[in-house]
Amino acid sequence: MDEELPPNPRDDEKAFVGPIMINFSIPFINIDTVKLSDEDLNIAQLPQLLKLSNVKKVLWKYKAKIIGVDGSEILAEGEDNIKEPFIVLTPLEINAIPWSFTKIDEKALINLVKDLIPCDEGDGYFNPSPWERKALIEERWYHFRPGEITEKLNIHTKGYELAGYKIESNFYNPKFYFLNPFYIEESRYPISASSFVSLQSDSALSIISSDPFNMKFNLGKIEIESERPVYIIKSRRWNEIKPARISWDLKNNIIRLDCKPKYNVSIYKIEPSSVIPLYFDYKNEELLLILENFSDDDIISTLIFSGRIESATADGEELITEFDRVRIPIRRWGIKNVRIKIRRLIEPYLKRKIIA
C-alpha cells in the first residue's frame, strides 16, 4: 500500500500547562489546551502559532485578547472576574529565545528530484535552497543557483569569513536584529543568544550560524561561544545579505545524490526573498510545503518548478496554477500550509529549463 502524507496538523492532541515557549513542532500538531505564562507572551508569533496548532482552549492569569505581529488574534480565559478582556500585544518583552530553522528531510527532497529529473548512473549534487547560495564542500566554496541539480562542481566563489571567538567593532550603540521563533526581532539592547545577530550602525555586521550561539557585547567588543561554525559578514545594511536565508543554508547542506542528472536544471525557485520554507515533505507526486513570509509587507509569493503543476492548495483553499508555477498570497509574517500535485515534464519542456 502506498504511504500517505501525514495529515497537517497531525491528529494527536496535547495540553501544555506551562511555559510552552518553543515547543511548537513542524508540521504543527493539534494542541487541546494551553496555559500561558508571561514568558510565553514574549513570543511575537504566539497567536498565529496557537491558531496553526488548532488550540481549543487558551488560559492565562487574565482574560485577554492577544494580538500577534502578523495580526492574528486569540482569546484567553482568565482567573479574574473582569468583564472586558485586556488587549495584549506580543511580545510583552523583547527577549532572545534560542531557535533555529528545522533541518529539511533530505530523503523527501531526493525522491522529488528523482521523480522530476531523469538520472543516469553516477553522482550528482542538489541545492535544497530555493534561492542562490554559497556552499562549503570539501574545504572549497561553490556557487549554486536556486534548487539546482548538477553533475559537476565547477563554479567556485568567495566564501564567508569564519568568525573568531572575539570580534572588535567600533559600534557603541547599534541596533540588534536577531532570529526568534518564526520572527526577526529588533532591539536597542544587546541580546544573549540567536542563530544570527546583525548589528546595524552606520554599517552592518552580521554573525550567522546554523544553530543558536551565545554572544556578549560591550563597548564594541563581541564575544562568541558556539559549538557550530559561525561566520561574519559585513554590509551596508543588515538585511541586504538576507541573514535568515544564510542561517537556513548553513542548516541544510548541499545534498549528494546517487544520481547523475541528465540535465542541469533548477528543480524549484521561490520569490520574493522574504519567503522561507519551514518544512518539506514529498510522497506520491504530492509536495507539502510550509512557507513563511519573513517580511513586514503582505506579498504574493511565486513558486516555480521544473515540473507540471496539476493542482495546488494553500491552507486548504484552491490556488490557480500556471503550468509550472503557482502564486500564493501570504500576509506579513504569515505562515502557509501549501500542497502541490506535481509531475515530470515531457522532455522538450524539460530541456527549456536547462541552466547554461
PDB file of all heavy atoms in Angstrom, residues 39 42 61 79 88 121 138 154 182 194 205-206 217 226 271 290 305 318 329 335:
ATOM      1  N   GLU A  39       6.033  34.589  30.267  1.00  0.00           N
ATOM      2  CA  GLU A  39       7.196  34.307  29.423  1.00  0.00           C
ATOM      3  C   GLU A  39       6.767  33.868  28.029  1.00  0.00           C
ATOM      4  O   GLU A  39       7.385  34.229  27.030  1.00  0.00           O
ATOM      5  CB  GLU A  39       8.061  33.227  30.084  1.00  0.00           C
ATOM      6  CG  GLU A  39       9.416  33.032  29.421  1.00  0.00           C
ATOM      7  CD  GLU A  39      10.247  31.982  30.131  1.00  0.00           C
ATOM      8  OE1 GLU A  39       9.673  31.209  30.933  1.00  0.00           O
ATOM      9  OE2 GLU A  39      11.464  31.923  29.882  1.00  0.00           O
ATOM     10  N   ASN A  42       6.198  36.477  25.382  1.00  0.00           N
ATOM     11  CA  ASN A  42       7.354  37.106  24.747  1.00  0.00           C
ATOM     12  C   ASN A  42       7.596  36.561  23.341  1.00  0.00           C
ATOM     13  O   ASN A  42       8.477  37.045  22.632  1.00  0.00           O
ATOM     14  CB  ASN A  42       8.613  36.906  25.599  1.00  0.00           C
ATOM     15  CG  ASN A  42       8.543  37.647  26.915  1.00  0.00           C
ATOM     16  OD1 ASN A  42       7.817  38.636  27.038  1.00  0.00           O
ATOM     17  ND2 ASN A  42       9.266  37.182  27.911  1.00  0.00           N
ATOM     18  N   LYS A  61      -3.519  34.266  33.220  1.00  0.00           N
ATOM     19  CA  LYS A  61      -3.946  34.793  34.530  1.00  0.00           C
ATOM     20  C   LYS A  61      -5.052  35.836  34.387  1.00  0.00           C
ATOM     21  O   LYS A  61      -5.820  36.065  35.327  1.00  0.00           O
ATOM     22  CB  LYS A  61      -2.750  35.370  35.282  1.00  0.00           C
ATOM     23  CG  LYS A  61      -2.069  36.547  34.591  1.00  0.00           C
ATOM     24  CD  LYS A  61      -0.847  36.987  35.379  1.00  0.00           C
ATOM     25  CE  LYS A  61      -0.130  38.141  34.699  1.00  0.00           C
ATOM     26  NZ  LYS A  61       1.098  38.539  35.429  1.00  0.00           N
ATOM     27  N   GLU A  79      -8.296  33.996  35.159  1.00  0.00           N
ATOM     28  CA  GLU A  79      -8.728  33.644  36.508  1.00  0.00           C
ATOM     29  C   GLU A  79      -9.417  34.817  37.197  1.00  0.00           C
ATOM     30  O   GLU A  79      -9.939  34.679  38.307  1.00  0.00           O
ATOM     31  CB  GLU A  79      -7.507  33.201  37.327  1.00  0.00           C
ATOM     32  CG  GLU A  79      -6.775  32.001  36.723  1.00  0.00           C
ATOM     33  CD  GLU A  79      -5.439  31.744  37.378  1.00  0.00           C
ATOM     34  OE1 GLU A  79      -5.080  32.511  38.310  1.00  0.00           O
ATOM     35  OE2 GLU A  79      -4.739  30.795  36.967  1.00  0.00           O
ATOM     36  N   VAL A  88      -3.712  42.562  24.619  1.00  0.00           N
ATOM     37  CA  VAL A  88      -2.296  42.258  24.817  1.00  0.00           C
ATOM     38  C   VAL A  88      -1.617  42.149  23.461  1.00  0.00           C
ATOM     39  O   VAL A  88      -2.066  41.388  22.591  1.00  0.00           O
ATOM     40  CB  VAL A  88      -2.119  40.933  25.594  1.00  0.00           C
ATOM     41  CG1 VAL A  88      -0.639  40.604  25.756  1.00  0.00           C
ATOM     42  CG2 VAL A  88      -2.796  41.012  26.955  1.00  0.00           C
ATOM     43  N   GLU A 121      23.434   6.484 -14.203  1.00  0.00           N
ATOM     44  CA  GLU A 121      24.314   6.009 -13.139  1.00  0.00           C
ATOM     45  C   GLU A 121      25.414   7.036 -12.891  1.00  0.00           C
ATOM     46  O   GLU A 121      25.978   7.593 -13.825  1.00  0.00           O
ATOM     47  CB  GLU A 121      24.928   4.662 -13.514  1.00  0.00           C
ATOM     48  CG  GLU A 121      23.930   3.512 -13.478  1.00  0.00           C
ATOM     49  CD  GLU A 121      24.611   2.174 -13.664  1.00  0.00           C
ATOM     50  OE1 GLU A 121      25.863   2.128 -13.610  1.00  0.00           O
ATOM     51  OE2 GLU A 121      23.907   1.175 -13.870  1.00  0.00           O
ATOM     52  N   GLU A 138      34.059  20.126   0.876  1.00  0.00           N
ATOM     53  CA  GLU A 138      35.445  19.651   0.898  1.00  0.00           C
ATOM     54  C   GLU A 138      36.423  20.826   0.892  1.00  0.00           C
ATOM     55  O   GLU A 138      37.358  20.889   0.092  1.00  0.00           O
ATOM     56  CB  GLU A 138      35.706  18.704  -0.273  1.00  0.00           C
ATOM     57  CG  GLU A 138      34.860  17.433  -0.203  1.00  0.00           C
ATOM     58  CD  GLU A 138      35.068  16.526  -1.402  1.00  0.00           C
ATOM     59  OE1 GLU A 138      35.781  16.941  -2.352  1.00  0.00           O
ATOM     60  OE2 GLU A 138      34.516  15.413  -1.392  1.00  0.00           O
ATOM     61  N   ASN A 154      31.770  23.171 -10.448  1.00  0.00           N
ATOM     62  CA  ASN A 154      32.775  23.913 -11.221  1.00  0.00           C
ATOM     63  C   ASN A 154      32.631  25.427 -11.128  1.00  0.00           C
ATOM     64  O   ASN A 154      33.293  26.155 -11.849  1.00  0.00           O
ATOM     65  CB  ASN A 154      32.737  23.496 -12.694  1.00  0.00           C
ATOM     66  CG  ASN A 154      31.352  23.644 -13.307  1.00  0.00           C
ATOM     67  OD1 ASN A 154      30.466  24.229 -12.697  1.00  0.00           O
ATOM     68  ND2 ASN A 154      31.168  23.101 -14.494  1.00  0.00           N
ATOM     69  N   PHE A 182      10.144  32.002  14.511  1.00  0.00           N
ATOM     70  CA  PHE A 182       9.280  32.432  13.406  1.00  0.00           C
ATOM     71  C   PHE A 182       9.217  33.955  13.265  1.00  0.00           C
ATOM     72  O   PHE A 182       8.245  34.485  12.717  1.00  0.00           O
ATOM     73  CB  PHE A 182       7.863  31.872  13.587  1.00  0.00           C
ATOM     74  CG  PHE A 182       7.821  30.384  13.775  1.00  0.00           C
ATOM     75  CD1 PHE A 182       7.801  29.823  15.044  1.00  0.00           C
ATOM     76  CD2 PHE A 182       7.809  29.531  12.688  1.00  0.00           C
ATOM     77  CE1 PHE A 182       7.765  28.449  15.234  1.00  0.00           C
ATOM     78  CE2 PHE A 182       7.775  28.145  12.861  1.00  0.00           C
ATOM     79  CZ  PHE A 182       7.757  27.612  14.136  1.00  0.00           C
ATOM     80  N   SER A 194      21.222  33.598  19.678  1.00  0.00           N
ATOM     81  CA  SER A 194      20.402  33.527  18.480  1.00  0.00           C
ATOM     82  C   SER A 194      21.167  32.756  17.410  1.00  0.00           C
ATOM     83  O   SER A 194      22.370  32.532  17.536  1.00  0.00           O
ATOM     84  CB  SER A 194      20.045  34.925  17.969  1.00  0.00           C
ATOM     85  OG  SER A 194      19.220  34.840  16.817  1.00  0.00           O
ATOM     86  N   LEU A 205      27.117  44.547  10.654  1.00  0.00           N
ATOM     87  CA  LEU A 205      27.964  43.396  10.917  1.00  0.00           C
ATOM     88  C   LEU A 205      27.024  42.251  11.287  1.00  0.00           C
ATOM     89  O   LEU A 205      26.253  42.367  12.254  1.00  0.00           O
ATOM     90  CB  LEU A 205      28.911  43.702  12.075  1.00  0.00           C
ATOM     91  CG  LEU A 205      30.103  42.804  12.323  1.00  0.00           C
ATOM     92  CD1 LEU A 205      31.109  42.919  11.185  1.00  0.00           C
ATOM     93  CD2 LEU A 205      30.769  43.191  13.634  1.00  0.00           C
ATOM     94  N   SER A 206      27.033  41.169  10.506  1.00  0.00           N
ATOM     95  CA  SER A 206      26.139  40.046  10.761  1.00  0.00           C
ATOM     96  C   SER A 206      26.945  38.824  11.162  1.00  0.00           C
ATOM     97  O   SER A 206      27.941  38.483  10.521  1.00  0.00           O
ATOM     98  CB  SER A 206      25.296  39.730   9.525  1.00  0.00           C
ATOM     99  OG  SER A 206      24.427  40.803   9.216  1.00  0.00           O
ATOM    100  N   PHE A 217      28.161  41.487  24.230  1.00  0.00           N
ATOM    101  CA  PHE A 217      28.547  42.736  23.563  1.00  0.00           C
ATOM    102  C   PHE A 217      28.814  43.800  24.615  1.00  0.00           C
ATOM    103  O   PHE A 217      27.985  44.026  25.500  1.00  0.00           O
ATOM    104  CB  PHE A 217      27.429  43.205  22.623  1.00  0.00           C
ATOM    105  CG  PHE A 217      27.708  44.524  21.951  1.00  0.00           C
ATOM    106  CD1 PHE A 217      28.439  44.586  20.776  1.00  0.00           C
ATOM    107  CD2 PHE A 217      27.236  45.710  22.511  1.00  0.00           C
ATOM    108  CE1 PHE A 217      28.704  45.811  20.163  1.00  0.00           C
ATOM    109  CE2 PHE A 217      27.492  46.933  21.909  1.00  0.00           C
ATOM    110  CZ  PHE A 217      28.228  46.978  20.740  1.00  0.00           C
ATOM    111  N   SER A 226      30.182  29.044  20.699  1.00  0.00           N
ATOM    112  CA  SER A 226      29.342  28.245  19.810  1.00  0.00           C
ATOM    113  C   SER A 226      29.959  26.870  19.592  1.00  0.00           C
ATOM    114  O   SER A 226      31.181  26.729  19.534  1.00  0.00           O
ATOM    115  CB  SER A 226      29.172  28.937  18.461  1.00  0.00           C
ATOM    116  OG  SER A 226      28.420  28.140  17.567  1.00  0.00           O
ATOM    117  N   GLU A 271      10.099  33.054  -4.908  1.00  0.00           N
ATOM    118  CA  GLU A 271      10.218  34.516  -4.887  1.00  0.00           C
ATOM    119  C   GLU A 271       9.065  35.075  -4.062  1.00  0.00           C
ATOM    120  O   GLU A 271       7.987  34.475  -4.016  1.00  0.00           O
ATOM    121  CB  GLU A 271      10.154  35.073  -6.329  1.00  0.00           C
ATOM    122  CG  GLU A 271      11.289  34.584  -7.215  1.00  0.00           C
ATOM    123  CD  GLU A 271      11.116  35.017  -8.673  1.00  0.00           C
ATOM    124  OE1 GLU A 271       9.965  35.363  -9.054  1.00  0.00           O
ATOM    125  OE2 GLU A 271      12.098  35.005  -9.423  1.00  0.00           O
ATOM    126  N   ILE A 290       5.537  24.111   4.026  1.00  0.00           N
ATOM    127  CA  ILE A 290       5.106  25.138   4.967  1.00  0.00           C
ATOM    128  C   ILE A 290       6.010  26.332   4.741  1.00  0.00           C
ATOM    129  O   ILE A 290       7.230  26.245   4.905  1.00  0.00           O
ATOM    130  CB  ILE A 290       5.170  24.651   6.422  1.00  0.00           C
ATOM    131  CG1 ILE A 290       4.249  23.452   6.626  1.00  0.00           C
ATOM    132  CG2 ILE A 290       4.768  25.777   7.374  1.00  0.00           C
ATOM    133  CD1 ILE A 290       4.232  22.896   8.032  1.00  0.00           C
ATOM    134  N   PHE A 305       8.631  25.570 -10.704  1.00  0.00           N
ATOM    135  CA  PHE A 305       9.164  24.219 -10.665  1.00  0.00           C
ATOM    136  C   PHE A 305       9.622  23.767 -12.046  1.00  0.00           C
ATOM    137  O   PHE A 305       9.130  24.252 -13.065  1.00  0.00           O
ATOM    138  CB  PHE A 305       8.105  23.233 -10.169  1.00  0.00           C
ATOM    139  CG  PHE A 305       7.727  23.412  -8.731  1.00  0.00           C
ATOM    140  CD1 PHE A 305       6.717  24.292  -8.371  1.00  0.00           C
ATOM    141  CD2 PHE A 305       8.367  22.700  -7.737  1.00  0.00           C
ATOM    142  CE1 PHE A 305       6.358  24.455  -7.041  1.00  0.00           C
ATOM    143  CE2 PHE A 305       8.028  22.862  -6.402  1.00  0.00           C
ATOM    144  CZ  PHE A 305       7.018  23.741  -6.056  1.00  0.00           C
ATOM    145  N   GLU A 318      -8.153  26.247  -2.839  1.00  0.00           N
ATOM    146  CA  GLU A 318      -7.606  26.008  -4.167  1.00  0.00           C
ATOM    147  C   GLU A 318      -6.887  27.246  -4.695  1.00  0.00           C
ATOM    148  O   GLU A 318      -7.357  28.378  -4.522  1.00  0.00           O
ATOM    149  CB  GLU A 318      -8.712  25.610  -5.145  1.00  0.00           C
ATOM    150  CG  GLU A 318      -9.333  24.239  -4.886  1.00  0.00           C
ATOM    151  CD  GLU A 318      -8.402  23.095  -5.265  1.00  0.00           C
ATOM    152  OE1 GLU A 318      -7.514  23.297  -6.120  1.00  0.00           O
ATOM    153  OE2 GLU A 318      -8.569  22.008  -4.693  1.00  0.00           O
ATOM    154  N   PRO A 329      -0.731  34.167  -2.055  1.00  0.00           N
ATOM    155  CA  PRO A 329      -0.747  35.366  -1.205  1.00  0.00           C
ATOM    156  C   PRO A 329      -0.413  34.991   0.236  1.00  0.00           C
ATOM    157  O   PRO A 329      -0.967  34.040   0.784  1.00  0.00           O
ATOM    158  CB  PRO A 329      -2.188  35.876  -1.331  1.00  0.00           C
ATOM    159  CG  PRO A 329      -2.981  34.685  -1.730  1.00  0.00           C
ATOM    160  CD  PRO A 329      -2.083  33.769  -2.489  1.00  0.00           C
ATOM    161  N   ILE A 335       2.237  32.407   7.891  1.00  0.00           N
ATOM    162  CA  ILE A 335       2.695  31.035   7.651  1.00  0.00           C
ATOM    163  C   ILE A 335       1.603  30.309   6.879  1.00  0.00           C
ATOM    164  O   ILE A 335       0.430  30.343   7.258  1.00  0.00           O
ATOM    165  CB  ILE A 335       3.001  30.313   8.976  1.00  0.00           C
ATOM    166  CG1 ILE A 335       4.124  31.048   9.722  1.00  0.00           C
ATOM    167  CG2 ILE A 335       3.384  28.856   8.730  1.00  0.00           C
ATOM    168  CD1 ILE A 335       4.385  30.525  11.122  1.00  0.00           C
TER     169      ILE A 335
END
